[in-house]
Amino acid sequence: MRMSWKLGRVSGIDVYLHPTFLFVLAFPQVTHGGLFGLALVLSGFGCILLHELGHALMARRFGIGTEDITLYPIGGVARLSRMPRAPGAELLIALAGPAVNVAIIGVLLLLGLLGMFAAPWGASLPGAFALNLLVVNLFLAVFNLVPAFPMDGGRVLRAALSVWLGRMRATEIAAGIGRFLAVIFGLVSLAYGAWMQVFLAAFIYLAAGAELAAVAADEDRRRPEDRGGHWDAPPGYRWVSRGPGRWQLDPITVTWDDRSRARWR
Ligand SMILES: [Zn+2]
């Protein structure tokens, strides 16, 4: 039985709130920001939900369904029914989330330009709210594009690398960078006593390892001839296994000894 509370259904996708989401009520923005802070934090999570819907609806264009979207105090997660194999699809699905935040920034700027908020923005309550929400969305777009796999930026990196390195090697490199950045981020957060960020760093670290293992298992299941690319080794070369799911084209080296034996036998 799932632990989360169902919030509703958007575009045919169930949206859940994880019980740990209540930790949000302990955020300093809420405890010290009053009603303004509470409204801002909830609006921020509304933007995170739209960000996840961006991923889900782009995935749908590639025929990939979304099991559900769950909101945690550290962010949102859209569980896709499967991960795209094509680098182009992965790139567009990953970029669709931050693109939603950029679009929200555009709408807020447009409303400001149309004079919806008294200038300067910070002077009026709606203006201050819009300005804060704009900063939140800017943060969401930039933070998610940091190449810390499996965050969006890391997926963009994996997609780009996999074009010429193959999916397995690209995932190894992206997950390595993701884990490294997660450790740095976790240590810095720990030094500042930012516990929510420490949890987020731990989540990124573990998720990178889990996804790397999933890709390794997936690649291992595929027969060499199904893995795409040219599996007929060119003359003078042969395929050599280099661990689970990793194949390398090696030149067939004929040593002088082999040749001499062949000649004299
Ligand atoms: Zn995202």
Side-chain angles (χ1 to χ4, degrees), residues 51-52 55 94 97-98 144 152:
H51 170 116
E52 298 304 328
H55 290 308
N144 277 289
D152 300 337

Side-chain angles (χ1 to χ4, degrees), residues 2-262:
R2 73 162 32 247
M3 281 274 293
S4 302
W5 303 310
K6 187 168 170 177
L7 274 186
R9 206 171 157 83
V10 189
S11 300
I13 301 163
D14 290 331
V15 177
Y16 293 92
L17 203 62
H18 196 262
T20 55
F21 189 82
L22 291 178
F23 282 120
V24 162
L25 296 176
F27 281 13
Q29 292 90 333
V30 176
T31 53
H32 292 81
L35 211 55
F36 183 88
L38 180 66
L40 187 65
V41 167
L42 292 181
S43 302
F45 276 96
C47 293
I48 290 177
L49 175 59
L50 292 175
H51 170 116
E52 298 304 328
L53 275 172
H55 290 308
L57 296 182
M58 183 59 86
R60 185 178 286 176
R61 291 179 69 97
F62 291 98
I64 298 172
T66 300
E67 307 282 336
D68 50 52
I69 293 175
T70 305
L71 292 176
Y72 299 85
I74 55 172
V77 173
R79 275 198 314 137
L80 302 189
S81 57
R82 66 181 173 86
M83 283 297 157
R85 286 193 62 82
E90 169 155 65
L91 184 81
L92 288 176
I93 295 170
L95 287 178
V100 168
N101 299 112
V102 172
I104 294 171
I105 291 171
V107 168
L108 288 172
L109 283 176
L110 189 69
L111 290 176
L113 286 174
L114 291 175
M116 300 294 283
F117 318 119
W121 282 28
S124 70
L125 200 61
F129 189 81
L131 196 61
N132 275 285
L133 200 58
L134 191 150
V135 172
V136 166
N137 277 280
L138 191 65
F139 170 78
L140 286 173
V142 171
F143 187 75
N144 277 289
L145 285 174
V146 170
F149 186 82
M151 294 214 312
D152 300 337
R155 291 194 182 284
V156 170
L157 177 71
R158 197 256 299 257
L161 289 177
S162 66
V163 172
W164 67 88
L165 289 179
R167 191 155 170 262
M168 187 63 224
R169 190 80 194 105
T171 308
E172 282 176 336
I173 295 172
I177 295 172
R179 281 167 154 180
F180 172 76
L181 291 176
V183 168
I184 301 287
F185 177 51
L187 288 177
V188 171
S189 303
L190 200 62
Y192 282 94
W195 293 106
M196 218 43 97
Q197 283 75 7
V198 173
F199 280 122
L200 178 57
F203 170 79
I204 293 169
Y205 187 92
L206 294 174
E211 198 149 333
L212 177 63
V215 170
D218 183 43
E219 292 295 302
D220 219 24
R221 267 197 305 275
R222 303 169 78 82
R223 280 143 41 98
E225 51 270 40
D226 295 339
R227 292 175 213 220
H230 307 284
W231 283 94
D232 291 328
Y237 284 81
R238 60 181 174 165
W239 286 110
V240 177
S241 174
R242 293 265 183 259
R246 291 163 63 191
W247 291 81
Q248 191 180 314
L249 208 51
D250 263 10
I252 300 171
T253 46
V254 183
T255 61
W256 189 86
D257 261 327
D258 294 329
R259 235 176 304 173
S260 61
R261 236 179 267 139

